[in-house]
Amino acid sequence: MGSFLYFIISSLLSLLIFAIFANAIISWLVAFDVINLRNQVVYNIAKFLDAVTRPILAPFQRIIPPLGGVDISPIIVLLILQGIKTYLLPMAFAPLMALLG
């Protein structure tokens, strides 16, 4: 049971990391006119990714100002999420795994 819960939380963190990465790439492609938000499919994907990542990114965007017009908050959030997934999550689940055997 503990390993399944660990798998679910780790997978959700991986999906969130992917969504933040994809959102950043789409925003760059839109900014450089490689893709256009008038395309309905692109618009729906961008809107979905923004809805998923905005609650995580917004607090960091309020704290960290853009550097030279570039928003570095996704990089900071990606580093934090990767640290949680790699270091904190195994430490949090170690006692549970030891207890369950």
Side-chain angles (χ1 to χ4, degrees), residues 38-57:
R38 283 181 266 159
N39 182 334
Q40 192 64 34
V41 173
V42 173
Y43 176 77
N44 286 336
I45 291 171
K47 187 176 175 182
F48 171 76
L49 288 173
D50 190 54
V52 169
T53 60
R54 178 67 47 203
I56 305 297
L57 292 175

Side-chain angles (χ1 to χ4, degrees), residues 13-31 35 37 41-54 57 74-75 77-78 81:
L13 283 172
S14 294
L15 286 173
L16 184 58
I17 289 168
F18 176 77
I20 291 171
F21 188 68
N23 189 29
I25 290 175
I26 285 182
S27 70
W28 292 339
L29 292 175
V30 168
I35 58 176
L37 288 178
V41 173
V42 173
Y43 176 77
N44 286 336
I45 291 171
K47 187 176 175 182
F48 171 76
L49 288 173
D50 190 54
V52 169
T53 60
R54 178 67 47 203
L57 292 175
I75 296 169
V77 171
L78 286 173
L81 288 175

